[in-house]
Amino acid sequence: MIPLERLELSQDRLPDRWYNVAPDLPRAQDEMLDPATGEQASDDYLERLLPSALVAQDRSIERWIAIPEKVRDAYRAWRPTPLMRARALENYLDTPAEIYFKYEGGSPSGSHKLNSALAQAYFAKNQGIRRLVTDTGAGQWGSALALAGALAGIEVGVYMVRASYHQKPYRRHLMESFGARVEPSPGTGTEFGRKLLEQDPGHPGNEGTAVSEALEVVRADPDSRFSMGAFANHVLLHQTVVGLEAREQLDELCREPDYLIASVGCGSNMGGFALPWVPDKLSGAVNTQIIAAEPAACATLTKGTYRYDYPDAGGTGPMVRTYTLGHDFSPPPIHAGGLRYHGAAPLIGLLRHEGVLDAVAYQQVEVFEAARIAARLTGLLPAPETAHAIRAVFDVARRCREERRKATIVFCWSGRGDLDLGAYGRFNAGELRDVESFAEERAELARGLAS
Amino acid sequence: MIPLERLELSQDRLPDRWYNVAPDLPRAQDEMLDPATGEQASDDYLERLLPSALVAQDRSIERWIAIPEKVRDAYRAWRPTPLMRARALENYLDTPAEIYFKYEGGSPSGSHKLNSALAQAYFAKNQGIRRLVTDTGAGQWGSALALAGALAGIEVGVYMVRASYHQKPYRRHLMESFGARVEPSPGTGTEFGRKLLEQDPGHPGNEGTAVSEALEVVRADPDSRFSMGAFANHVLLHQTVVGLEAREQLDELCREPDYLIASVGCGSNMGGFALPWVPDKLSGAVNTQIIAAEPAACATLTKGTYRYDYPDAGGTGPMVRTYTLGHDFSPPPIHAGGLRYHGAAPLIGLLRHEGVLDAVAYQQVEVFEAARIAARLTGLLPAPETAHAIRAVFDVARRCREERRKATIVFCWSGRGDLDLGAYGRFNAGELRDVESFAEERAELARGLAS
């Protein structure tokens, strides 16, 4: 009956600076390349795509970047977020480890995504940009940006993966309720979308196609800029409020994390949560293992290669070096929420490549099994993304049991699963399958979209 | 960009007692009657239906009832809840009034309902009861009880209004994820359900039919008890944590409410929010107007009559005196969430009858219009129930503007609308209509369910 102990952090301890890991990396990041020239991307090139403040943040080597007061005021509607101890989960796993999580599911948009969405909407508005255009898969990012756009008074256009647009209308209704304009990707409003639909009327779309369409629209309108929900340095920067708060909360408890665990699609949640510990880990001041949990069906960090690639299916965005499954990779229709992007954020890729971060991949049925257990023991329904982290926590906690080892496990509960109940319904009905058997399901999906 | 100012209450100020209004009522409550005999319902009769601790609470005349420590521990996962000031809404309404709301939408189940669900699950478990059986309409109550049952380790059976069971599967998936068994009402598992389906294979069900079926199941199983999401005194009692916290928060701000506004289906949200102010209102210590907002299509307090009636469609439950539209009333399929019950909680009925509480009724389109505006200005999507309260806030705030009158408006944001996005989708598409034109829609629904 005691699901959770909640540790609050008072509002006066809301961080006033984001942490930029750039000066503390084991080596400098590789340059971003202009896809047309293969040369280093210029500021002019990038500022045509992104608000200029964000381009500056992407390239900054300042360790601390001030959070604008208006963004902090907006954060205060739900931040600082609580750190929870899940004793019932410890008991269930029969582990000597203590299990804590930073709970981002209580944000108005339901996930950590709002931390960056509000910042991006603020900087764009400040620059006089009329519209932000973005891509979204499951819709957590799109929902967050739609909400931030409504609060900041800036238009939002969203290219939503076509299969989700048609089969999961709830997040679309949410974005539209906040005033965003949502288009399916591929769709008929862009040249790239029309080309894909001509080739394959049943094309289900993916994050890569949605990024290509969003970029095409931005290039055609001088008053529009592209907005990213993950991937770019500035997004991970904005998310560091999560890790900075968690550090303060763990300090109050006199705990140091032995394990920091988060799910990774692109890595904004992982980065925001774990980056603040990187300098201490590199210096040896802490001995923390950082574990990224990803879906086996889109195993970017465990099956991808570290190389230059495009961020979008059309190959029109700036090239970066990171772990990638290839920009033309189209993941199977697993219920992994937003964890279905072909590439990792370059910062996450670099840390993985340098051995700072470990990665594990899970099949979706074992992920949902862990999620349902955690829901019943905590009272909180995890987003499918978060469920990947929970699955990894189960493994680590059980290892601690076997080794009779006390440890402090801290994970990021990145979002709530209220809008993923279709997937839970399929899981409850025994209809979810693992990735090997998807060929048939995929063909069925394509037939449905083409008809 | 500053949607909300959030006033927290520290965890050490979580109430340790519920407030029981019984000794402070303008007159004693009318007795509950056994439907078979027409005589006062005996303790034996009631304890066969409900956990005995709850029967005792229903009849208690103690002003304060201790919250068991385990229930308080469970509350601490999200309580005390914040009080918010909605300055952007004040600006939009151009009102000299200050607008505050108590935010219950951040509970794990998404609404205030969990306050009572946890208490009921605790008392039932404590008594060795194996299973709680309940009714649910839109599913907020069923979700809360399913979650509480999982945490307390007690089985939960839910009779869900058949139209919702089939057309809004998400809350069913949520309940099932927490381990509850969910049946449509009317269904084939009870005599009453079979009878209704024989008469009308397209019967969409309503809260009244679901209560009858739940009661039938409880009567057939000595280890089961009935669980109520609203209506009974004990439910309103458990919800008083909401109002008690809000009083402390307003005291800290040196504010006294001129208006307390909440939506009313049965009245657990209204009661829990406003009852703690009733003694001061009756004594004249405060001059607070208490306003109940209800749907015009199920206008219990504004169109019902004050008389004895049954709580269920089958007329098998204990009779109480309250405002009712008749136990055989079947509301049209409006999107008003849980506000579609034929009767008010007896405590709310009595206060309305004695003039302590005022009521207003709204059509659904104007309710959703207010909800969408509030969502864009606060960043929080209201549940349809809450949207009724918001609609009333708009009226009061505009009246203050016209009269150039400063005032403190406080309302209860009873739940979040994440699981009501189907209704928002219909509203956004211009498909929601007001109650006059429902006959056709109703027939269509019945045909769909019969096929």
Side-chain angles (χ1 to χ4, degrees):
Chain A
M1 189 79 178
I2 308 176
L4 295 169
E5 285 167 44
R6 179 174 57 128
L7 185 78
E8 292 287 355
L9 196 68
S10 63
Q11 284 188 49
D12 55 6
R13 294 173 69 187
L14 180 70
D16 55 6
R17 303 180 300 179
W18 291 303
Y19 166 67
N20 179 20
V21 76
D24 297 323
L25 289 172
R27 64 169 179 78
Q29 284 191 268
D30 297 300
E31 287 296 342
M32 223 183 283
L33 306 181
D34 183 328
T37 63
E39 302 291 314
Q40 184 181 331
S42 67
D43 279 359
D44 281 354
Y45 168 82
L46 291 173
E47 289 182 3
R48 184 59 196 81
L49 297 180
L50 297 170
S52 46
L54 303 181
V55 173
Q57 289 173 6
D58 275 337
R59 296 192 150 170
S60 170
I61 51 162
E62 296 296 322
R63 189 170 283 117
W64 297 102
I65 294 178
I67 306 176
E69 205 45 53
K70 282 192 177 172
V71 175
R72 288 187 82 213
D73 284 341
Y75 281 173
R76 282 198 185 90
W78 83 102
R79 302 208 73 87
T81 60
L83 184 78
M84 306 280 204
R85 179 164 178 188
R87 276 194 204 265
L89 205 53
E90 294 168 13
N91 294 341
Y92 170 83
L93 295 167
D94 189 22
T95 180
E98 294 181 358
I99 300 177
Y100 298 89
F101 61 87
K102 181 69 170 163
Y103 185 58
E104 294 292 306
S107 94
S109 80
S111 79
H112 70 291
K113 293 285 186 186
L114 194 55
N115 298 318
S116 185
L118 284 167
Q120 293 189 40
Y122 167 81
F123 288 115
K125 181 77 182 177
N126 216 29
Q127 192 183 327
I129 292 165
R130 182 178 53 82
R131 178 176 64 161
L132 285 173
V133 185
T134 196
D135 59 290
T136 200
Q140 282 206 340
W141 169 248
S143 306
L145 192 69
L147 194 166
L151 295 179
I154 190 165
E155 287 177 37
V156 171
V158 182
Y159 283 84
M160 184 175 186
V161 172
R162 190 154 161 254
S164 298
Y165 181 93
H166 288 294
Q167 298 184 340
K168 300 173 190 166
Y170 273 31
R171 278 226 175 77
R172 171 160 63 87
H173 296 328
L174 182 59
M175 294 182 259
E176 288 170 346
S177 293
F178 284 119
R181 183 171 172 155
V182 187
E183 305 279 350
S185 173
T188 54
T190 66
E191 202 180 316
F192 184 70
R194 286 190 295 272
K195 197 182 75 185
L196 290 184
L197 288 174
E198 264 167 40
Q199 289 164 2
D200 175 7
H203 200 304
N206 56 55
E207 293 267 356
T209 68
V211 174
S212 282
E213 290 193 89
L215 287 172
E216 182 181 328
V217 165
V218 165
R219 285 202 184 87
D221 173 14
D223 294 330
S224 289
R225 291 294 182 281
F226 182 55
S227 175
M228 269 180 277
F231 206 76
N233 294 359
H234 65 265
V235 186
L236 276 63
L237 173 81
H238 301 155
Q239 295 294 351
T240 58
V241 288
V242 177
L244 294 170
E245 287 178 8
R247 278 194 74 141
E248 292 223 30
Q249 287 161 315
L250 289 166
D251 281 351
E252 277 195 8
L253 295 171
C254 304
R255 291 290 184 285
E256 232 168 49
D258 297 294
Y259 300 93
L260 289 172
I261 301 174
S263 61
V264 170
C266 236
S268 78
N269 151 45
M270 174 94 252
F273 177 58
L275 290 182
W277 274 277
V278 164
D280 284 352
K281 180 173 164 77
L282 289 172
S283 74
V286 297
N287 185 22
T288 301
Q289 193 183 351
I290 304 175
I291 303 174
E294 62 180 7
C298 188
T300 315
L301 293 174
T302 51
K303 297 275 179 62
T305 49
Y306 192 61
R307 61 178 171 89
Y308 268 102
D309 196 7
Y310 303 98
D312 64 318
T316 65
M319 297 179 76
V320 293
R321 194 172 178 198
T322 189
Y323 278 87
T324 177
L325 295 164
H327 66 280
D328 51 356
F329 175 80
S330 219
I334 49 165
H335 292 280
L339 309 185
R340 300 175 59 240
Y341 187 69
H342 67 271
L347 276 176
I348 296 296
L350 186 153
L351 292 174
R352 169 84 177 117
H353 195 61
E354 297 290 323
V356 179
L357 178 149
D358 299 313
V360 284
Y362 293 106
Q363 296 285 357
Q364 68 173 344
V365 172
E366 61 186 346
V367 163
F368 272 87
E369 278 165 355
R372 192 164 61 179
I373 292 165
R376 292 180 186 185
L377 293 169
T378 64
L380 301 170
L381 192 80
E385 294 90 337
T386 303
H388 287 73
I390 292 172
R391 183 63 191 75
V393 168
F394 278 30
D395 275 356
V396 171
R398 284 170 176 151
R399 215 181 307 140
C400 291
R401 179 184 64 194
E402 283 158 21
E403 298 168 5
R404 300 181 185 202
R405 187 159 48 84
K406 284 184 193 255
T408 299
I409 303 172
V410 190
F411 74 96
C412 187
W413 193 300
S414 56
R416 60 177 189 253
D418 294 26
L419 293 189
D420 302 289
L421 282 162
Y424 278 96
R426 293 195 61 200
F427 172 67
N428 293 338
E431 289 168 13
L432 273 201
R433 287 167 291 174
D434 283 337
V435 71
E436 288 78 9
S437 52
F438 271 124
E440 194 186 323
E441 193 171 345
R442 184 88 182 279
E444 199 180 297
L445 176 74
R447 279 194 300 274
L449 289 170
S451 66
Chain B
M1 191 77 178
I2 308 176
L4 295 169
E5 285 168 43
R6 179 175 56 128
L7 184 78
E8 291 287 355
L9 195 68
S10 63
Q11 283 188 50
D12 55 6
R13 293 174 69 187
L14 180 70
D16 54 7
R17 303 180 300 178
W18 291 303
Y19 166 67
N20 180 19
V21 76
D24 297 323
L25 289 173
R27 64 170 179 78
Q29 284 191 268
D30 296 301
E31 286 296 342
M32 223 182 283
L33 305 181
D34 183 328
T37 63
E39 302 292 314
Q40 184 182 330
S42 68
D43 280 0
D44 281 355
Y45 168 82
L46 292 173
E47 289 182 2
R48 183 60 195 82
L49 297 180
L50 297 169
S52 45
L54 303 181
V55 173
Q57 288 172 7
D58 275 337
R59 297 191 149 172
S60 171
I61 51 162
E62 296 295 322
R63 189 169 283 115
W64 297 101
I65 294 178
I67 306 176
E69 206 44 55
K70 282 192 178 172
V71 176
R72 287 187 82 213
D73 285 340
Y75 281 173
R76 281 198 185 90
W78 83 101
R79 302 208 73 85
T81 60
L83 183 79
M84 306 280 205
R85 179 164 178 188
R87 276 193 204 266
L89 206 54
E90 294 168 14
N91 293 342
Y92 171 82
L93 295 167
D94 189 21
T95 180
E98 294 182 357
I99 300 177
Y100 297 90
F101 60 87
K102 180 69 171 164
Y103 185 56
E104 294 292 304
S107 94
S109 79
S111 79
H112 71 292
K113 294 285 186 186
L114 194 56
N115 298 318
S116 185
L118 284 167
Q120 293 189 40
Y122 167 82
F123 288 116
K125 180 77 182 176
N126 217 29
Q127 192 183 329
I129 292 165
R130 182 178 53 84
R131 178 175 64 160
L132 286 173
V133 185
T134 196
D135 60 289
T136 200
Q140 281 205 340
W141 169 247
S143 307
L145 192 70
L147 193 166
L151 295 179
I154 191 165
E155 288 178 36
V156 171
V158 181
Y159 283 85
M160 185 174 186
V161 172
R162 191 154 160 252
S164 298
Y165 181 94
H166 289 295
Q167 297 184 339
K168 300 174 191 167
Y170 272 31
R171 278 228 175 78
R172 171 160 63 86
H173 297 328
L174 182 60
M175 293 183 258
E176 289 171 346
S177 293
F178 285 119
R181 184 171 171 154
V182 186
E183 304 280 350
S185 174
T188 54
T190 68
E191 203 181 312
F192 185 71
R194 286 189 296 272
K195 198 181 75 184
L196 291 183
L197 288 173
E198 265 166 39
Q199 290 164 1
D200 175 7
H203 199 303
N206 56 55
E207 292 268 356
T209 68
V211 173
S212 283
E213 290 192 89
L215 286 172
E216 182 181 329
V217 166
V218 165
R219 285 202 184 87
D221 174 14
D223 294 331
S224 287
R225 292 294 181 280
F226 183 56
S227 176
M228 269 180 277
F231 206 74
N233 293 359
H234 65 265
V235 186
L236 277 63
L237 173 81
H238 302 154
Q239 295 295 351
T240 57
V241 288
V242 177
L244 293 169
E245 287 177 10
R247 278 194 73 141
E248 293 222 30
Q249 286 160 315
L250 289 166
D251 281 351
E252 277 194 8
L253 295 172
C254 304
R255 291 289 185 284
E256 232 169 50
D258 297 294
Y259 299 93
L260 289 171
I261 300 174
S263 62
V264 170
C266 237
S268 78
N269 150 46
M270 174 93 254
F273 177 57
L275 290 182
W277 275 275
V278 163
D280 284 351
K281 180 173 164 74
L282 290 173
S283 75
V286 296
N287 186 21
T288 301
Q289 191 182 353
I290 304 175
I291 303 175
E294 61 179 8
C298 188
T300 316
L301 293 174
T302 51
K303 297 274 179 62
T305 49
Y306 192 61
R307 61 178 171 90
Y308 269 102
D309 197 6
Y310 303 97
D312 64 316
T316 65
M319 297 178 77
V320 294
R321 194 171 179 201
T322 189
Y323 278 88
T324 177
L325 295 164
H327 66 280
D328 51 357
F329 175 79
S330 221
I334 50 166
H335 292 280
L339 309 185
R340 301 175 59 240
Y341 187 68
H342 68 271
L347 276 176
I348 297 297
L350 186 152
L351 292 174
R352 169 84 176 118
H353 195 60
E354 297 290 323
V356 180
L357 180 149
D358 299 312
V360 284
Y362 293 105
Q363 295 285 357
Q364 69 173 343
V365 171
E366 60 186 346
V367 163
F368 273 87
E369 278 165 356
R372 192 163 63 180
I373 292 164
R376 292 180 185 184
L377 293 170
T378 64
L380 301 170
L381 192 79
E385 295 89 337
T386 303
H388 287 74
I390 292 172
R391 184 62 191 77
V393 168
F394 278 30
D395 275 356
V396 171
R398 283 171 175 151
R399 215 181 308 141
C400 292
R401 179 185 63 195
E402 283 158 22
E403 298 168 6
R404 299 182 187 202
R405 188 159 48 85
K406 283 186 192 251
T408 300
I409 302 172
V410 190
F411 73 96
C412 187
W413 194 300
S414 57
R416 59 179 189 251
D418 294 25
L419 294 188
D420 303 289
L421 281 161
Y424 278 95
R426 293 195 61 202
F427 173 67
N428 293 339
E431 290 168 14
L432 273 202
R433 287 166 292 172
D434 283 337
V435 71
E436 287 79 9
S437 53
F438 271 125
E440 194 186 324
E441 193 170 344
R442 184 87 182 279
E444 198 179 298
L445 175 75
R447 278 195 299 276
L449 289 170
S451 66

